[in-house]
Amino acid sequence: MPRRVLAWHETEFYLFFHFGPNTFSNLEWGHGTETEDLFNPTDLDCEQWCRIAKQAGAKGVIITAKHHDGFCLWPSKYSKHTVRESKWRDGKGDVLRELADACRRHNLKLGFYLSPWDRNHPQYGTPEYNDVYANTLTELLSSYGELFEIWWDGANGEGPNGKRQVYDFHRFEKIAAQLQPNAVIFSDIGPGCRWAGNEQGLILTETNWCTLDTAGFQRGAGGPPTDTLNQGNFNGAHWIPAECDVSIRPGWFYHAEEDEKVKSADQLFDIYLHSVGRGANLILNVPPDRRGRIHERDSASLVEFGMKLKEGFDNNLLRGRKRELVHRICLYTPRRIVGEVNDGDRNTAEAVSLDRVFGPVVNFDLRIKKRFNTIILREQIAEGQRVQSFKIEIKKGKKWHEIASSTTIGSRKIITFPTIKARRLRVTILKARDMPLLSEVELYKI
Ligand code: FUL
């Protein structure tokens, strides 16, 4: 599996910034006819965006470099509808430059949303627009340093001349691969990662395969059914993991009337458990306001959420504890993947034998009874996704009692249950398509 894919999985949670003329017109889908002067943030502060992203525990950010209205947040050579034509900073501003610099200072990864649909560009709906998009993409991917993701939304409406575009995605993918070989491309069907089929940020069931069949499907209206996008395909031909997108507010862009509707830290945490905790990545939209700052309400929720994450997952009760493996394992040694499931190292894994005699069981002894309510399992996805079902039990007296069971694991599975007190705990892999490789098992009281 390419390094960029593994790096993408480890990025796990990042912020999305929808920002542009819609921020000032109060629209969600701008018409493309807005005057450039409409875009006029009074106090743009990308430092503040990045500080808050860090406090929330995000590892990166993605911004709408261009949304459907066609307005470019940077002075693109290939458009006349950009920050350059606006009075903001006398036409000398560049939002992407400020954000890229702030990301570098804060060690955050960066990605761009470049809407293929363009309601402003005069050539949209003609073959020439594919040249325009290819040039714009080339400019964007060569000017702001390394990117971790490129975002292609599925919306494809009509342009100013009433025509829809037939996109040359194949050409765009080639440009991306050449200029940003470490970036993963998001769209409904990848090729890097897939839309999870809803905008609530949720994997809806316990099952989430990173593999997907894309043959015969297209981006946008021609995509796979949303439940397939949500769960993936068990025998899917391509590694196209799910990315869950959701906004901290009802809309994607900032609207003052939604200030009272910002999701709470608890709601965000619940979304996290149902996205990252089900093996997907989470992209959480936080729209900057008309000042060009993240609104106080949003930042309060995000900072509290970040603390919940940090404190909740700070003390892994299995670290340093004696772990017994009931059966022994054939040590699996291609490359570096030998290690223990409670060594805190994502890059080491243990093979759990599916041998019928010994049983595919990993046992933990906490030495004294402890209270806990959350378990995290991680699979060594560098070798693929294998586990189909598993259960977790605690020992009460001489008997084992099941406290939870589930299906897939993948990059990360977080299972929560009412707090219990126990000394012995075991994880049993019930079904797997191949020898299960667990890289981590963690236990918490959150
Ligand atoms: C969709 C767009 O139409 C929405 O405006 C928003 O950008 C969302 C994330 O993607 O395709």
Side-chain angles (χ1 to χ4, degrees):
M1 190 174 299
R3 201 176 60 82
R4 71 165 176 279
V5 179
L6 290 173
W8 179 88
H9 278 286
E10 292 308 303
T11 310
E12 283 195 327
F13 162 52
Y14 26 96
L15 297 193
F16 212 174
F17 299 131
H18 275 67
F19 190 49
N22 295 341
T23 312
F24 302 87
S25 63
N26 222 17
L27 293 174
E28 277 290 310
W29 280 5
H31 303 293
T33 49
E34 295 79 14
T35 65
E36 289 81 21
D37 282 346
L38 184 65
F39 181 81
N40 196 12
T42 49
D43 186 18
L44 181 76
D45 189 355
C46 295
E47 268 294 312
Q48 186 237 15
W49 304 3
C50 288
R51 245 185 355 254
I52 292 169
K54 274 301 229 202
Q55 281 176 287
K59 295 192 188 138
V61 305
I62 298 183
I63 185 169
T64 51
K66 178 185 85 151
H67 201 253
H68 311 327
D69 54 45
F71 185 80
C72 298
L73 294 182
W74 80 105
S76 174
K77 277 196 285 197
Y78 304 101
S79 168
K80 294 201 173 73
H81 191 49
T82 82
V83 281
R84 189 186 47 232
E85 285 76 31
S86 76
K87 61 174 180 249
W88 175 63
R89 300 215 167 130
D90 296 326
K92 306 234 160 43
D94 180 344
V95 180
L96 304 189
R97 175 76 54 219
E98 292 190 33
L99 182 59
D101 290 348
C103 281
R104 219 165 292 123
R105 282 192 291 272
H106 289 271
N107 194 22
L108 284 164
K109 299 184 186 185
L110 177 65
F112 291 140
Y113 173 122
L114 187 68
S115 171
W117 183 25
D118 193 317
R119 299 177 101 180
N120 171 271
H121 206 284
Q123 282 169 318
Y124 185 86
T126 71
E128 289 73 44
Y129 177 77
N130 281 326
D131 297 334
V132 173
Y133 191 89
N135 286 335
T136 311
L137 188 66
T138 303
E139 179 183 60
L140 199 61
L141 302 191
S142 9
S143 309
Y144 298 96
E146 183 165 280
L147 304 178
F148 84 102
E149 190 171 312
I150 298 159
W151 227 87
W152 289 338
D153 62 280
N156 176 9
E158 290 160 4
N161 58 11
K163 292 196 189 132
R164 273 172 205 266
Q165 183 71 29
V166 181
Y167 299 109
D168 192 351
F169 276 115
H170 187 60
R171 177 174 170 199
F172 308 155
E173 281 172 23
K174 281 214 315 233
I175 293 172
Q178 205 189 346
L179 296 175
Q180 292 285 346
N182 293 327
V184 157
I185 296 179
F186 167 97
S187 84
D188 294 333
I189 52 168
C193 60
R194 70 177 193 262
W195 184 46
N198 65 65
E199 293 184 338
Q200 279 77 53
L202 306 174
I203 298 293
L204 297 166
T205 68
E206 288 289 327
T207 304
N208 174 18
W209 293 103
C210 290
T211 40
L212 186 74
D213 285 320
T214 54
F217 291 116
Q218 285 170 2
R219 295 173 173 90
T226 50
D227 52 347
T228 305
L229 288 171
N230 204 246
Q231 299 198 359
N233 295 115
F234 173 51
N235 282 316
H238 308 284
W239 189 271
I240 307 178
E243 182 183 273
C244 296
D245 64 335
V246 62
S247 184
I248 197 168
R249 290 161 171 261
W252 290 102
F253 284 87
Y254 178 81
H255 308 289
E257 65 271 22
E258 293 179 354
D259 285 352
E260 308 296 319
K261 296 187 178 150
V262 173
K263 292 185 176 66
S264 67
D266 283 345
Q267 285 173 299
L268 297 180
F269 193 69
D270 196 56
I271 290 171
Y272 181 88
L273 294 179
H274 290 85
S275 52
V276 174
R278 287 182 168 172
N281 276 11
L282 170 62
I283 179 165
L284 172 65
N285 181 61
V286 183
D289 62 16
R290 290 183 183 178
R291 293 169 300 175
R293 295 175 64 87
I294 292 176
H295 190 271
E296 290 69 6
R297 301 250 173 174
D298 307 53
S299 67
S301 274
L302 285 165
V303 170
E304 195 187 331
F305 167 67
M307 294 210 332
K308 264 176 113 62
L309 275 186
K310 209 161 171 249
E311 286 166 11
F313 300 123
D314 185 42
N315 182 23
N316 174 8
L317 302 173
L318 295 181
R319 281 300 294 282
R321 290 289 148 212
K322 182 165 153 30
R323 192 198 84 274
E324 307 154 16
L325 283 151
V326 165
H327 62 94
R328 191 72 233 177
I329 297 189
C330 31
L331 275 181
Y332 188 82
T333 50
R335 281 162 258 146
R336 285 203 314 121
I337 53 170
V338 181
E340 300 207 328
V341 290
N342 61 337
D343 64 3
D345 184 349
R346 171 71 174 136
N347 296 314
T348 63
E350 256 175 56
V352 181
S353 162
L354 285 177
D355 188 306
R356 288 232 181 99
V357 182
F358 298 108
V361 185
V362 190
N363 259 281
F364 295 94
D365 182 352
L366 293 168
R367 290 285 174 236
I368 51 165
K369 279 192 173 178
K370 292 214 166 155
R371 290 156 66 79
F372 52 86
N373 58 13
T374 304
I375 192 162
I376 296 185
L377 298 165
R378 308 197 72 188
E379 241 181 301
Q380 186 69 346
I381 52 170
E383 304 298 318
Q385 194 184 359
R386 300 177 174 183
V387 176
Q388 290 169 265
S389 63
F390 66 93
K391 66 175 176 183
I392 297 157
E393 295 160 296
I394 53 163
K395 201 162 191 184
K396 275 194 186 161
K398 290 212 161 114
K399 288 217 164 120
W400 287 99
H401 287 266
E402 184 175 318
I403 53 166
S405 66
S406 184
T407 56
T408 54
I409 297 179
S411 180
R412 187 186 290 277
K413 182 78 164 210
I414 309 179
I415 302 216
T416 58
F417 38 84
T419 302
I420 43 169
K421 205 170 171 190
R423 171 180 163 172
R424 288 179 173 270
L425 167 88
R426 73 181 186 187
V427 179
T428 305
I429 307 298
L430 300 170
K431 201 165 175 212
R433 63 194 308 160
D434 200 341
M435 181 185 292
L437 293 170
L438 291 185
S439 71
E440 291 303 304
V441 180
E442 303 167 11
L443 192 65
Y444 298 95
K445 164 76 182 73
I446 59 172

